[in-house]
Amino acid sequence: MSTVEGHAGKLIFGKLGGKDIMAMEGRFHFYEGYSMKEVTFPERVMYELGIETLFVSNAAGGMNPEFSIGDIMVITDHINCFPEHPLNGPNFPTGPRFPDMHEAYDHELVALADEIAKEKGITLRHGVYVGVQGPTFETPAEYRMYRLLGGDSVGMSTVPEVIVARHCGIKVFGVSIITDLGGFDVPVEVSHEEVQMAANSAQPKMTEIMREIIRRS
């Protein structure tokens, strides 16, 4: 089970946007002591159950100076900074030994999200997500480093799950809710409670967009 506050560790089956869905209320994190195989086991289960599209969301630190707390950033690509790769070891027969990652996040779903957001008057950012181990929040210097690498947001999840989903041939749509800002001239202290509050405030807009994507796709 998940050991992080705000991650209930439940598996939920139901309907959203008129379609059958499987949802995870919370996730496993590498920093909790789980292996990468354990962290990504839910995606293996999803594949076996016939899931064709994975929606991922996370709370993330924003490094792009144009971002504000509470922004929703559609993930267009990622940078993997985890110390272990989820595909290490014998290759699962769900995909090739060396899977292509040129479109980790589905371009058509990103375009559909932009269309829906425009219709509903919701502002969406686009950017690159940097996945790191944690569990510490980043230092100001680390924020600046990840920004120089090409990142717009940074967090402690998502990348391993996306890699395994793509290895299984599952399409992915991902968003980061910007819950804190770092790497700028004035360092800002951040707490887990503040991150949860910012994520909760942006959740209705994120849910509305995901519901519509599911209904229309």
Side-chain angles (χ1 to χ4, degrees):
M1 62 178 291
S2 177
T3 64
V4 183
E5 184 180 348
H7 292 260
K10 295 179 180 178
L11 198 58
I12 301 170
F13 292 87
K15 284 187 176 291
L16 186 66
K19 296 183 180 178
D20 294 324
I21 67 161
M22 167 186 173
M24 291 178 62
E25 189 177 358
R27 52 156 60 95
F28 305 116
H29 299 82
F30 187 63
Y31 63 73
E32 294 178 83
Y34 293 108
S35 70
M36 276 298 182
K37 294 291 187 296
E38 291 170 321
V39 168
T40 58
F41 180 70
E43 283 65 40
R44 298 291 183 192
V45 173
M46 291 175 188
Y47 170 80
E48 296 297 336
L49 291 175
I51 297 296
E52 297 178 351
T53 305
L54 174 67
F55 290 74
V56 291
S57 64
N58 58 59
M63 302 171 289
N64 188 318
E66 297 182 4
F67 289 0
S68 300
I69 291 176
D71 279 352
I72 299 173
M73 186 196 88
V74 174
I75 304 174
T76 56
D77 205 345
H78 70 229
I79 298 172
N80 183 13
C81 291
F82 282 89
E84 180 183 330
H85 199 281
L87 300 182
N88 276 353
N91 186 47
F92 277 81
T94 56
R97 171 74 281 187
F98 304 106
D100 179 78
M101 293 294 289
H102 83 280
E103 191 176 339
Y105 301 86
D106 191 83
H107 294 172
E108 291 185 3
L109 293 177
V110 170
L112 180 56
D114 287 338
E115 178 183 325
I116 293 166
K118 185 177 180 180
E119 291 175 9
K120 297 185 176 296
I122 298 173
T123 300
L124 290 183
R125 305 290 192 177
H126 284 199
V128 176
Y129 175 81
V130 181
V132 299
Q133 175 177 323
T136 54
F137 291 110
E138 289 69 36
T139 68
E142 287 170 337
Y143 273 122
R144 291 193 293 271
M145 177 188 71
Y146 294 134
R147 178 64 179 158
L148 287 171
L149 288 176
D152 296 285
S153 70
V154 58
M156 308 169 196
S157 64
T158 303
V159 170
E161 298 101 303
V162 170
I163 290 173
V164 169
R166 294 302 301 132
H167 183 253
C168 292
I170 297 173
K171 294 189 297 184
V172 176
F173 175 78
V175 297
S176 288
I177 296 177
I178 305 304
T179 54
D180 60 279
L181 300 171
F184 308 127
D185 293 336
V186 181
V188 178
E189 187 175 345
V190 62
S191 70
H192 184 60
E193 291 73 23
E194 290 171 325
V195 166
Q196 286 182 295
M197 288 177 60
N200 290 338
S201 67
Q203 187 172 355
K205 293 179 182 178
M206 180 188 72
T207 302
E208 179 68 14
I209 289 172
M210 288 189 172
R211 181 189 294 115
E212 278 298 300
I213 292 176
I214 292 170
R215 188 178 69 82
R216 300 185 192 187
S217 61

